[in-house]
Amino acid sequence: MRPFTYEKATSAQDAAAKAAAMPGARFIAGGTNLLDLMKLEIETPSHLIDVNGLGLDRIEEIDGGGLRIGALVRNTDLAADQRVRKDYAVLTRALVAGASGQLRNKATTAGNLLQRTRCPYFYDTNMPCNKRKPGSGCAALGGFSRQLGVIGTSDACIATHPSDMAVAMRVLDASVETIRPDGTTRAIPIAEFHTLPGETPHIETALEKGEMIISVALPRPRGGTHIYRKVRDRASYAFALVSVAAVIQRDGKGAVALGGVAPKPWRVEEAEALLPQGPKAVADRLFAGARPREDNAFKLTLAQRTIASVMAEAKA
Amino acid sequence: MTEGYGAISRRDVLKTGAAGAAIAGSIGPGQAALAQPDPAAPPRAAVGLKVNGQAVRLDLDTRTTLLDALREHVKLTGTKKGCDHGQCGACTVIVNGRRINSCLTLAVMHEGDEVTTIEGLGTPESLHPMQAAFVEHDGYQCGYCTPGQICSAVAVLEEIRAGIPSHVTADVSKPAPMTTVEMRERMSGNICRCGAYSNIAEAMADVAGVKA
């Protein structure tokens, strides 16, 4: 690990201003992903700004309905919150499907959104990776791609976003609330928060320099049956090959987003209109333009079957 | 508080004649100002922890994980380093009542925190019920993962008692039930290469008072 200086932020704006002003500065919250990457020298911050202790660890009700989740709310606390369990169960389900108990106790809401891909070639510093070292190439294209993306990818990068939580937030139409170094705030729809790789896979979110997530807002509850189905190589503590987050209403309409297949939670609203036509129609639309590789083409079939299973469960 | 490159280094502490243990609290602010910082020395910071009920004050390279602080500085080597990447759970300790991977957190981020390690759960003369149950049920072979398994197991039962849901909880709108299925799912962050899982599950069930 490279040496770094460390300070505790005194306010969110203070943290954002310092992060913008100091080259090599990074926020640290739970640290479970950042420290892992720092040990491997994939992340090499020269200064860490500790954003724990800023009072961003609360879940509050929004006037007129909805919940505001502080950026520092731990994954365990968010999953266990009674309001989330009752009104946004897909979010609880997604959270408890992710990581281990130890990690969920430390990992934060904002950190979960900002975690990096687990592409093996991103992690292997002996390999070219456009995300880790822009312009160096992509070893995954000719490599082992079982875990990697089938849609939304590019010739520069086929990594997936590893979060379960973000997939549920996408289906719930969450918005990511931030503060900029100048103190102004904004809300970024979760659909626009993660960016596709294109030619610049090292850019992963819409955040500007120094901009810090302060909360995630959930709109008012919409009822329906909440399901998160995660398919993986082990029954627990493994990343998704395919996951499906769904909120299905009694009339069969609903919202569906997929994890494990793309560089961001994958949702196509037009595909949801096809729910009455069955899982094949939905999957065909979701994966229109997909570019699977030999190792991960199975994800298209697996996704369709997982959607079918989720639709059957919603009807039961 | 900023602990930058200008902070007191261990070498400076030795120069000013303080004890080699580098107790940051023993350095007055005047002395700190007099110390000549070595720009090449890695940044350090002071942190106070409560480990197994005892207050400890440490002056550490900022890169020091809680795991390394416990093992190399507090000299409590019960907590083990396995993968050092949060995948194996050997380093599991309980911080402010919650289990975490001590390898994936910086010691300097734990000012004032209460840390419980395997040494703090029980002693050879007075075992914690979970330690006794691991012995009774042969919940280990080589024993390397055991401190992490036991810290995790103790916290898992608390998590279920607190009603926290898990991946196998059928209805998340209700409190999670105390079952072996719940315990097994929640222990997935602790790997045992000897494969003592079924005996670990029996030890946990015994302590929880349910049928394995």
Side-chain angles (χ1 to χ4, degrees):
Chain A
M1 201 187 304
R2 305 277 178 84
F4 55 84
T5 47
Y6 167 84
E7 72 175 308
K8 289 189 198 319
T10 54
S11 71
Q13 194 195 335
D14 165 64
K18 280 181 172 145
M22 294 185 72
R26 292 291 304 268
F27 302 124
I28 187 163
T32 53
N33 187 224
L34 182 58
L35 280 169
D36 184 26
L37 294 168
M38 284 168 65
K39 288 179 184 194
L40 298 165
E41 299 194 352
I42 294 167
E43 295 272 13
T44 54
S46 54
H47 184 70
L48 287 184
I49 302 167
D50 184 346
V51 296
N52 291 281
L54 296 181
L56 298 174
D57 56 353
R58 289 185 278 274
I59 303 172
E60 290 162 353
E61 282 160 39
I62 298 171
D63 286 346
L67 282 183
R68 175 163 287 117
I69 304 156
L72 273 286
V73 173
R74 309 287 156 175
N75 286 179
T76 297
D77 296 321
L78 183 55
D81 186 274
Q82 291 298 342
R83 296 161 291 190
V84 176
R85 291 160 76 164
K86 179 173 159 281
D87 294 329
Y88 307 95
V90 66
L91 182 53
T92 287
R93 283 269 170 231
L95 283 159
V96 296
S100 67
Q102 289 97 316
L103 290 168
R104 290 191 296 270
N105 280 344
K106 205 88 187 74
T108 64
T109 305
N112 191 314
L113 289 174
L114 294 173
Q115 66 179 308
R116 311 294 304 275
T117 185
R118 298 315 196 281
C119 173
Y121 303 98
F122 173 73
Y123 264 76
D124 186 345
T125 52
N126 294 310
M127 292 286 183
C129 171
N130 288 319
K131 192 183 276 296
R132 174 165 36 75
K133 195 176 174 197
S136 63
C138 173
L141 287 172
F144 188 65
S145 57
R146 177 174 167 79
Q147 288 284 343
L148 303 177
V150 294
I151 192 158
T153 53
S154 72
D155 290 337
C157 182
I158 59 170
T160 55
H161 194 270
S163 174
D164 293 295
M165 182 195 80
V167 183
M169 286 181 170
R170 179 70 180 89
V171 99
L172 292 169
D173 290 315
S175 61
V176 182
E177 300 175 327
T178 68
I179 186 163
R180 292 189 177 101
D182 64 2
T184 57
T185 59
R186 65 168 171 155
I188 307 167
I190 186 99
E192 294 160 28
F193 183 76
H194 294 105
T195 53
L196 293 179
E199 294 296 306
T200 55
H202 59 289
I203 299 168
E204 297 173 351
T205 70
L207 292 177
E208 297 165 7
K209 190 168 170 55
E211 187 172 10
M212 181 179 142
I213 300 173
I214 49 176
S215 50
V216 173
L218 299 180
R220 80 166 63 91
R222 291 174 189 158
T225 301
H226 288 228
I227 299 169
Y228 189 77
R229 182 72 54 84
K230 182 175 180 178
V231 184
R232 44 186 162 173
D233 283 335
R234 291 193 297 260
S236 184
Y237 198 20
F239 289 97
L241 290 165
V242 166
S243 70
V244 175
V247 177
I248 308 286
Q249 305 296 336
R250 260 164 195 256
D251 61 5
K253 291 180 182 157
V256 177
L258 270 62
V261 295
K264 60 190 285 185
W266 197 251
R267 180 177 174 191
V268 178
E269 276 78 352
E270 302 90 83
E272 292 163 7
L274 304 171
L275 277 165
Q277 295 178 35
K280 186 174 186 310
V282 176
D284 284 350
R285 180 63 192 86
L286 271 167
F287 289 105
R291 296 202 305 167
R293 311 198 68 80
E294 196 183 338
D295 288 341
N296 64 17
F298 75 93
K299 286 192 177 188
L300 300 185
T301 313
L302 183 60
Q304 185 186 316
R305 290 175 180 168
T306 309
I307 293 166
S309 165
V310 164
M311 288 173 71
E313 185 183 335
K315 238 184 242 175
Chain B
M1 183 179 71
T2 305
E3 296 290 345
Y5 280 94
I8 317 157
S9 75
R10 184 165 168 273
R11 193 174 303 162
D12 296 330
V13 171
L14 292 171
K15 266 192 238 163
T16 55
I23 309 297
S26 67
I27 311 296
Q31 283 167 293
L34 287 172
Q36 291 296 311
D38 176 356
R44 304 183 70 85
V47 66
L49 310 169
K50 201 168 193 185
V51 182
N52 300 330
Q54 289 208 314
V56 293
R57 191 92 195 135
L58 302 167
D59 172 64
L60 301 168
D61 184 318
T62 53
R63 293 173 290 181
T64 312
T65 60
L66 179 60
L67 171 62
D68 286 339
L70 291 169
R71 287 182 54 84
E72 310 295 335
H73 297 268
V74 189
K75 305 294 182 191
L76 290 173
T77 54
T79 307
K80 297 294 185 268
K81 183 181 283 192
C83 69
D84 210 23
H85 286 281
Q87 295 173 6
C88 76
C91 68
T92 303
V93 298
I94 301 169
V95 176
N96 298 337
R98 311 180 117 197
R99 60 184 170 134
I100 64 167
N101 300 112
S102 62
C103 75
L104 283 188
T105 190
L106 295 170
V108 294
M109 295 175 73
H110 289 278
E111 180 64 45
D113 284 356
E114 297 197 14
V115 183
T116 303
T117 69
I118 190 70
E119 292 93 340
L121 283 178
T123 62
E125 295 74 35
S126 174
L127 295 175
H128 183 281
M130 191 65 77
Q131 291 172 315
F134 267 62
V135 174
E136 173 70 23
H137 292 276
D138 212 7
Y140 46 81
Q141 185 177 313
C142 82
Y144 194 81
C145 72
T146 312
Q149 298 278 3
I150 291 177
C151 284
S152 202
V154 167
V156 160
L157 297 192
E158 287 304 315
E159 286 165 16
I160 300 174
R161 284 188 196 109
I164 293 170
S166 84
H167 178 60
V168 297
T169 309
D171 181 354
V172 295
S173 70
K174 299 192 178 104
M178 185 68 82
T179 62
T180 51
V181 174
E182 284 282 350
M183 292 178 219
R184 283 171 177 267
E185 156 60 22
R186 290 163 198 260
M187 290 296 285
S188 68
N190 290 84
I191 310 299
C192 171
R193 282 296 276 118
C194 302
Y197 297 115
S198 63
N199 293 1
I200 291 168
E202 283 178 18
M204 290 179 69
D206 193 350
V207 174
V210 301
K211 203 168 154 26

